[in-house]
Amino acid sequence: MNRFVLLIALGLFSFFSSWAQNETVVLNYVSELTFQTSNDSEYYHLESSLLLRKITKDILEFVEAEKMNKKDLKFTVTLKNNRGAALPIQYLVKSPFPNSSDSKTLFSERTYNWFNRTFRSEIPY
């Protein structure tokens, strides 16, 4: 009976330890941009587009580096501005990862759109 309980405990421990090993990739970006503004200017849109393209490029590079890993990738992207506000954005990339150029382009577009909607719809301060 004790061996049976020990075997079940060992099985549960190994299951939960493998389940808990999903690591989160943390990316931090500092920007002078406010997260939402009523002053729409071409410079604001240009700077925010450049920031979001940098985030998308960094995520795509990390996904390409982790191609052999068959686990989902969890990202926490934290945007901080010069006034002390921070906007954490959670993003999940499911396995299998994109391999062809068409799927990478589609992945980049969807990632950019996700961060663009999230970036422009939150007021963290």
Side-chain angles (χ1 to χ4, degrees):
M1 183 69 175
N2 286 339
R3 288 184 183 175
F4 180 70
V5 172
L6 182 62
L7 186 61
I8 289 177
L10 184 62
L12 287 174
F13 176 74
S14 64
F15 171 75
F16 284 119
S17 65
S18 67
W19 179 66
Q21 287 179 359
N22 291 336
E23 295 181 16
T24 300
V25 179
V26 178
L27 301 173
N28 294 312
Y29 297 92
V30 178
S31 174
E32 295 179 6
L33 296 172
T34 55
F35 301 124
Q36 186 180 46
T37 181
S38 59
N39 301 332
D40 286 341
S41 70
E42 60 187 50
Y43 296 112
Y44 174 79
H45 291 296
L46 176 64
E47 289 182 30
S48 63
S49 294
L50 291 174
L51 175 65
L52 296 175
R53 286 179 187 169
K54 169 92 171 109
I55 293 169
T56 303
K57 181 182 171 208
D58 291 346
I59 289 176
L60 183 62
E61 287 175 358
F62 194 85
V63 166
E64 286 179 348
E66 294 291 319
K67 253 185 208 177
M68 296 304 166
N69 190 355
K70 299 297 181 190
K71 293 183 180 179
D72 297 343
L73 293 175
K74 298 175 186 176
F75 290 92
T76 299
V77 176
T78 305
L79 303 172
K80 298 177 184 177
N81 73 3
N82 57 355
R83 295 186 186 123
L87 174 64
I89 301 172
Q90 304 290 324
Y91 192 67
L92 176 70
V93 179
K94 293 208 167 249
S95 181
F97 304 130
N99 1 354
S100 69
S101 62
D102 291 338
S103 61
K104 287 179 186 177
T105 303
L106 183 63
F107 173 77
S108 294
E109 288 175 8
R110 288 181 177 173
T111 302
Y112 180 88
N113 289 337
W114 171 265
F115 281 99
N116 190 31
R117 283 190 306 268
T118 306
F119 178 77
R120 299 197 192 280
S121 67
E122 296 291 326
I123 304 175
Y125 50 89

